[in-house]
Amino acid sequence: MSFERLLGNERLKENLTQSLKKGRISHFYLISGPKGSGKHTLAKLLSAAILCHSHEPCLSCSVCRKVMENTHPDVITVEDPEHKTVAVKLVRQFREDVFIRPNESEYKIYLLPQELGIEGQNALLKILEEPPSYGVFILLTDNPEKLLPTIRSRCTELKLTALPKQVLAGALQKEFPQAEEASVSAAMLRSGGFLGQARAILADTQGYPPQTEQFAGSFAKKDAILLLQTLVPMEKWKRDQLSEVLSQWIELLEGALACRAGMPAAHPLAAEISTARSADQIRSAISCLQKSIDYAQRNISVAAICGYLSWALR
């Protein structure tokens, strides 16, 4: 199986496969690439390969299955979902845990999928300077430049690249068989060639709820009555439910702006808005919608927010 589950990046996969077969396992891997480039996929496959008896992710043995199912005791994920960066105290805690030997395997792997602040990086550096023989650290980052030079100098960097168009198109068509060709092409272009971003763009444009279609139609046609008919039933919604749909409206309008700038539309509704409204009008609507989401977070009533939108977007 090797690293086939990670699309593209053939040279990286080949080099990594050869290194692992020769027993060259680094204490510190830095996986870098934009959002949606496959960093989490590679981190899991690499962890499985390091612990697998064949030193490649066969994905069929019990070791590989445990890693892929997040149940292996020697693969520890260090993250702090309540904060933007991992708190330094958590880094210090896992630094102490490192000196407890592995439970089942030859190596003990620490996955760090979240950004580290300067304090956290300095705390990590202390263990990277003299790691135990069984310790392996895998750090994920969108931007290696955010890391201290002393951290980067100790890493084996695995840099993920954009997928070839044919590979990306094939993956998207398989996952979204009902998507229109124009929508797939637009998602590919707007994603910069990264599957995760293209997937998110297509997922956002597939199966819009009726409120979004009604909003798009009313905004494009400048139909204040249709807009009001869309918003009045939404007055009974919960704030979270309202914010989710308004965020979707923002994404649709951002797609319309991109379309006006010359990029293909990811959805026909975005194309319709782009031809009916000016860039200034679209930007103004985005600002109103973002303001409404902020109002919802401040506990302003949903009815009041819908009333504001029926006036501001008319």
Side-chain angles (χ1 to χ4, degrees):
M1 179 62 71
S2 191
F3 291 90
E4 293 175 8
R5 186 173 292 189
L6 177 71
L7 297 181
N9 296 279
E10 298 303 329
R11 179 174 295 181
L12 181 152
K13 292 190 293 188
E14 178 62 25
N15 292 340
L16 196 52
T17 298
Q18 293 302 319
S19 295
L20 292 171
K21 282 183 178 180
K22 295 176 182 178
R24 298 173 183 168
I25 297 176
S26 174
H27 283 294
F28 179 32
Y29 292 96
L30 175 63
I31 300 178
S32 66
K35 182 179 180 181
S37 58
K39 296 188 294 295
H40 291 82
T41 298
L42 178 56
K44 271 198 172 184
L45 292 173
L46 177 56
S47 299
I50 291 171
L51 300 186
C52 184
H53 298 302
S54 61
H55 281 324
E56 67 175 7
C58 71
L59 304 185
S60 58
C61 70
S62 61
V63 172
C64 285
R65 288 199 301 271
K66 285 182 180 179
V67 173
M68 301 308 289
E69 294 167 3
N70 299 318
T71 59
H72 200 293
D74 294 324
V75 180
I76 299 98
T77 299
V78 181
E79 56 186 345
D80 188 0
E82 295 183 0
H83 299 92
K84 185 176 180 180
T85 59
V86 178
V88 65
K89 66 178 181 180
L90 293 181
V91 180
R92 290 170 179 155
Q93 287 173 6
F94 96 72
R95 194 175 65 191
E96 295 176 3
D97 182 75
V98 169
F99 294 101
I100 300 175
R101 297 192 65 84
N103 288 277
E104 300 179 2
S105 305
E106 185 179 354
Y107 294 94
K108 193 171 184 180
I109 301 172
Y110 291 86
L111 298 179
L112 295 97
Q114 189 176 350
E115 298 288 351
L116 298 175
I118 298 298
E119 282 188 301
Q121 291 182 48
N122 280 318
L124 175 63
L125 183 59
K126 292 183 179 180
I127 193 65
L128 294 179
E129 289 173 342
E130 294 185 33
S133 60
Y134 53 79
V136 176
F137 308 91
I138 303 177
L139 177 62
L140 280 57
T141 183
D142 294 344
N143 182 7
E145 298 299 326
K146 294 180 181 179
L147 299 175
L148 296 170
T150 46
I151 292 282
R152 292 190 65 182
S153 66
R154 288 170 168 78
C155 79
T156 296
E157 185 170 356
L158 306 175
K159 186 175 182 179
L160 293 165
T161 57
L163 300 181
K165 288 184 178 180
Q166 187 174 0
V167 174
L168 180 58
L172 292 175
Q173 289 165 356
K174 182 178 180 180
E175 189 168 346
F176 299 93
Q178 304 302 321
E180 297 181 5
E181 185 177 344
S183 296
V184 173
S185 297
M188 290 173 58
L189 181 60
R190 292 173 61 190
S191 70
F194 295 102
L195 177 60
Q197 293 186 36
R199 180 188 288 133
I201 292 169
L202 275 179
D204 286 339
T205 59
Q206 300 299 303
Y208 275 140
Q211 293 82 7
T212 297
E213 295 186 4
Q214 291 167 10
F215 160 72
S218 66
F219 186 70
K221 298 172 185 176
K222 302 179 183 178
D223 188 334
I225 300 299
L226 179 56
L227 176 63
L228 191 61
Q229 291 172 341
T230 303
L231 288 166
V232 167
M234 295 169 61
E235 292 180 354
K236 300 178 182 179
W237 286 11
K238 301 290 186 182
R239 291 186 182 87
D240 290 346
Q241 185 183 11
L242 178 69
S243 295
E244 184 177 347
V245 169
L246 296 187
S247 295
Q248 192 177 72
W249 293 6
I250 289 175
E251 291 172 0
L252 184 62
L253 293 176
E254 289 174 342
L257 273 181
C259 190
R260 287 191 63 85
M263 297 184 71
H267 195 279
L269 292 177
E272 182 182 358
I273 292 171
S274 72
T275 57
R277 291 281 194 161
S278 69
D280 286 342
Q281 289 173 329
I282 296 172
R283 281 192 287 267
S284 177
I286 290 173
S287 177
C288 291
L289 290 168
Q290 186 57 63
K291 190 180 295 184
S292 298
I293 293 174
D294 294 340
Y295 287 158
Q297 293 174 344
R298 297 175 192 170
N299 291 328
I300 293 176
S301 74
V302 171
I305 295 171
C306 289
Y308 161 72
L309 286 173
S310 66
W311 171 81
L313 298 176
R314 69 191 189 283

